[in-house]
Amino acid sequence: MLISKKLKEKVIIIAESDQQLLAEIKLNLNKQGFLNIKTALDGKQIYEILRSYYGIAEKIGLLIVNEQLPQCDVLAMCQQLSSHDASLIPFIILSADENKHNIENSEFNSQALIHQMSYPINYSVLMDTIGFQLIMMQERYLRHKQEERLINELAERKIVDAKLKYLVVHDELTGLINRHNFESQLRLVLMRSRIRQQEGALIFINLDRFSLVNELEGFDVGDRLLIEIVAIIRKIIFKDDLFARIGSDEFCLFLDNKTAKEVKQFAERVRASVDEFKFSSGGVCYSTSLSIGIASVNTVTADYHPNEIISKARQACRMAKEHGRNMVWSYNETDTKVQERNKDLYWVPLIKKALLEKKFFLVFQPVVYLDNGKISHYEVLIRMRGLQNEVISPSDFIPVAERMGLIHSIDQWVVESAIDFLAKLPETSKISLAINLSSVAFQDDSLLPTLKEKLSLTWVDASRLTFEITETAAVENFEQTRKMIAEIRSLGCQFALDDFGAGFCSFNYLKTFPVDFVKIDGQFIRNLINDETDQVLVKSMAEIASNLGKKTIAEFVETPEVIAKLKELGIDMAQGYILGRPEQALLTSSFIALNGLTRTSAQPKRFTNWFSEKVS
C-alpha cells in the first residue's frame, strides 16, 4: 500500500514488553520508512509518551500494543483514545490466538480504528494494516476538521446576523437606539401620552464645538468623548427613558409624564453635569458643554408627528447655540428665529420653482442728473411672480435666499438677464444699467467668469454696466471685495457704493474703495428739508465724494423741495418715485423736466423691456 511521506512522519508508538520482539518490530518499520518511533515496555510508559503530545495529538500516527502489556488495560485505553474524531488514535492490538478477544466487534469500535493481529507477526500484513489505519485516521481527522469549521462558520454567521439585527436599531458606538428606532418608538409614546392625557417633552442635545475636538485630536478621541458624555447622561436618566443618538453629536431624549418645570430642571441638571466634566487627551484638558433644546408635548396640543417634535426641539437647540451655547432653551412659536425658520421653509421651494420656471423678472428705475434732468442710467431691480401671478417684492424672498444659499443663483440670473436686456436694445442705444447685487455676491468665485463670458457672447460694452454694493457688505469683507471689484472694473464696468453713510466708517473706507458712484442712504434724504443735521452731512458727503472724483446719487427722493435742496447741496443725481417708479419698461423720454416734474413731449423710440413681453 502506498503511504504518503507526511503520514510516515507521524509518531508510531510500539508498546511491547518483549524487548527482542520490540526491536524486531521497530526494525521492520524503519525499513518501510517509519523513522519517528517511540517505544514503551508497559502501560505507564505509553501514557508518559502521550502526555508529551498533549494538545498536538494529530502528530501521533498509531499505537501498536501487546494485549498482555504489563500495567495496561488495553480495552480501557482503546475506549479513551479511539472513540472521538478530535483525538483519534488507531490501535493495532497484538495477541496470541488463544487470548484473542473480539475487540473489533465491541460497541465502541463502531467509531474507533482498531485492528487485532495474532502472533507470530506477519510483517507484510502489518504494513498493510498500518497504511490502512493511517489513511483512515487522516480521512476521519480531515472530516472532523471540516465539520468543526462548518460549525464555527455557522456560529460566526449567527453572531454576525445577531449583530446586524442589533445595529439596525442601535448606534454601534454608544449602544443607544438609533434615529429610525427612536422615531418608531416615539410615535407610540406620543400616542400613549395623548390617550392618557399626559404631558411630556422631547429634549434635543447637541455637544458644543465637538468638531474642534475631532479636528485637533482625531476621530478616535472624538468617539471616546461621545462615549463618556453618554455615560454621564445615562447616570441621570431613568432606565426606561427613550434615549437615542440621531446624529454625529446629536442626541434625543424623551421624558414621559413630566411637567414643563420638571423637564426644564432635568435638562439643567444634564447640562450642569456635562459642564463640570473635564475631558483629557494627550495632556490637554477640554471643557465640554451642551446646548439643549426642549419641545413640550401637552394635553391640549394636537397630535405630533415624531419628525415635527424633533424639528421643534432642534430649533430650540439652535436658539441655545445662537444665544451663547451651554444653555437650555424651550421652543416658542413667537421667537423671531423660529418665525424666520418657518418663513424659510415656506419660501425656499417657491424660490427654487421661480428659478426653474423663470418666474423672476426685472424692473428699471431711472437715475436722473439734477443739473439738467437727463437720465443717467437705470437701476435694475428684481421681482418674482407668485403662485397666483402676483408680484412679490425682493424684501420678501432675498433675505431667505441669502440664508439658504440660493442667492448666488439669483445674482447670476440678474447679471445675465440685465446683459441680455442691453444686447436686445437698438445698436444706437446708449442706455446704461446699475445692477443691484446681494451682500454676498462678491464672495462668489463664479461671478467674474460668468460676467466675462456673458460680455464676450453678447458684445455689450462693459462701461454700460454699473454694479452696486452696499457699504455694510463692502466693509464686512473689505479686502476680498475690493479685489473682486478691481477685477470687474478692469473689464470696463463701474461701481456704486450703496447706502453710503449707514455705517460708522464710511469716509475712512471711501478714500480707498474703488467705486465710481456714491449712493447716499435714504435715512439722510427722507427728512432732509426739516433736518439741518442731515443737510450738513449730505453736503459733507457731496464735497468729499467730489474731491475723490466720485459722483453722488441721492435715494428716496420724493418731493420737488428735496430735489431743489439736493441741487443746492451739490448732489449730482437723484432716484425716487417722483422721478420714476421701478417699471418693466423704460421711460419713453430720455430726460425729466425737473422744474415742473413732467416728462417732455419728445418721444424717442420706446425701449421695451425684453422680459415684459413674456410676463404681461
Side-chain angles (χ1 to χ4, degrees), residues 46 50 61-65 74 77-82 88-93 112-116 129 133:
I46 292 176
L50 292 174
L62 59 78
L63 196 153
I64 302 172
V65 59
V74 175
M77 182 181 292
C78 289
Q79 288 177 324
Q80 293 174 2
L81 302 178
S82 298
L88 177 67
I89 298 178
F91 278 76
I92 296 178
I93 300 175
L113 290 175
I114 299 173
H115 185 81
Q116 287 185 276
T129 301
Q133 295 283 68

Side-chain angles (χ1 to χ4, degrees), residues 174-193:
T174 62
L176 300 176
I177 60 175
N178 60 21
R179 182 184 61 81
H180 178 74
N181 189 13
F182 178 76
E183 290 178 356
S184 299
Q185 294 193 44
L186 181 59
R187 185 178 288 105
L188 297 176
V189 171
L190 292 173
M191 185 182 301
R192 185 182 64 196
S193 296

Side-chain angles (χ1 to χ4, degrees), residues 3-13 29 33-38 53 56-62 88 90 130 133-135 137-139 141:
I3 305 173
S4 68
K5 182 180 178 182
K6 186 176 181 180
L7 289 177
K8 287 184 178 182
E9 292 175 351
K10 291 185 177 291
V11 175
I12 305 295
I13 302 174
L29 287 174
F34 295 97
L35 304 178
N36 194 3
I37 296 175
K38 305 291 182 181
Y53 288 93
I56 50 173
E58 67 273 8
K59 290 185 177 292
I60 298 175
L62 59 78
L88 177 67
I130 290 173
Q133 295 283 68
L134 289 175
I135 291 171
M137 177 204 68
Q138 184 71 6
E139 289 181 357
Y141 178 77

Side-chain angles (χ1 to χ4, degrees), residues 96-122:
D97 285 338
E98 62 273 13
N99 297 324
K100 186 174 181 180
H101 298 295
N102 193 18
I103 297 177
E104 293 183 13
N105 297 322
S106 60
E107 292 182 6
F108 75 86
N109 192 39
S110 62
Q111 296 297 325
L113 290 175
I114 299 173
H115 185 81
Q116 287 185 276
M117 292 185 66
S118 302
Y119 292 111
I121 300 172
N122 184 330

Side-chain angles (χ1 to χ4, degrees), residues 83 88 90 177 213 245 259 331 361 371 422 462 529-530 533 607:
S83 60
L88 177 67
I177 60 175
V213 176
R245 183 187 182 197
T259 65
Y331 178 84
F361 65 95
D371 60 348
L422 291 178
I529 300 300
N530 303 315
T533 302
F607 299 113

